[in-house]
Amino acid sequence: MIKEVIVVEGKQDIAAVKRAVDAECIATEGFNLLPRTISRIDDAYKKRGIIILTDPDSAGERIRKYLAERFPEARHAFVPREQADANNDIGIEQASPAAIRDALGKVRLHEWQPSNEFSWQDIMTAGLSGVPDAAARRAVAGEKLGIGYANAKGFLYRLNHYGVTRCEFNEALNSLAAKTRQDSAVEEPNYGN
């Protein structure tokens, strides 16, 4: 059983998490956080700690930001957008148990004092902005690092605020390079020699 209480958006998200792991969950019911829901989250935060696992969309990010400000020592888990997309819907309820377990295995703590380890130059040099496949590259790197998908500015913020080390960043870039080489490898034609 996971010690922390997992905070998700809805009841279907709770069902998806429970298919993946043994954990207690609280649903925010979207951004309409009622006082009793905030009270339950606050109790869990003080007694056991919480992991915020919101949908990988703009509404989920707004909820995450609100909860992170209110509960600064909450931990964060991110399911990559492409792993939470099914039936024309994006959300934790669409993620497979393996995707949820993987996200919970890469939990991060939001640091209010950014590390400033990474700069805009790092983003540009890594091809995470300013190139045709930058969004796809950020998605793969975000999955590898456990910080999820974000636009370039948001990705830089997450690198500096979620404790990503230079070594982790370089490993993610190396895996990106290996994937690119693998994807672009062309088989030699067989001419029936």
Side-chain angles (χ1 to χ4, degrees), residues 16-177:
V17 169
K18 290 189 175 282
R19 283 191 298 272
V21 295
D22 184 14
E24 183 179 341
C25 299
I26 297 174
T28 67
E29 298 302 332
F31 202 72
N32 298 327
L33 287 152
L34 299 173
R36 71 175 179 265
T37 304
I38 291 292
S39 178
R40 284 187 63 217
I41 295 170
D42 188 51
D43 287 344
Y45 176 73
K46 290 174 182 171
K47 293 176 184 171
R48 294 173 50 190
I50 61 173
I51 297 172
I52 300 170
L53 179 66
T54 56
D55 294 348
D57 59 13
S58 58
E61 285 304 307
R62 285 193 305 274
I63 294 167
R64 181 184 299 278
K65 183 178 179 186
Y66 174 81
L67 291 172
E69 288 173 1
R70 191 166 184 113
F71 305 105
E73 293 187 24
R75 297 173 70 198
H76 297 260
F78 299 86
V79 171
R81 186 179 184 99
E82 59 277 352
Q83 293 180 17
D85 186 1
N87 307 317
N88 293 321
D89 187 23
I90 295 173
I92 298 303
E93 75 275 8
Q94 304 299 334
S96 70
I100 292 170
R101 283 191 297 273
D102 189 47
L104 292 171
K106 297 176 184 173
V107 171
R108 298 256 179 203
L109 181 64
H110 186 273
E111 299 172 8
W112 289 103
Q113 294 298 321
S115 69
N116 293 322
E117 173 72 23
F118 302 96
S119 67
W120 190 250
Q121 185 62 43
D122 292 312
I123 297 293
M124 297 300 288
T125 302
L128 301 174
S129 182
V131 298
D133 66 341
R137 292 175 59 80
R138 285 193 309 274
V140 172
E143 178 181 351
K144 175 82 172 152
L145 295 168
I147 60 172
Y149 174 80
N151 64 25
K153 182 179 175 184
F155 198 82
L156 178 60
Y157 176 90
R158 288 181 184 182
L159 288 173
N160 285 320
H161 283 81
Y162 286 99
V164 175
T165 66
R166 180 63 64 174
C167 182
E168 289 174 314
F169 182 71
N170 290 338
E171 285 177 16
L173 294 181
N174 288 338
S175 68
L176 262 175

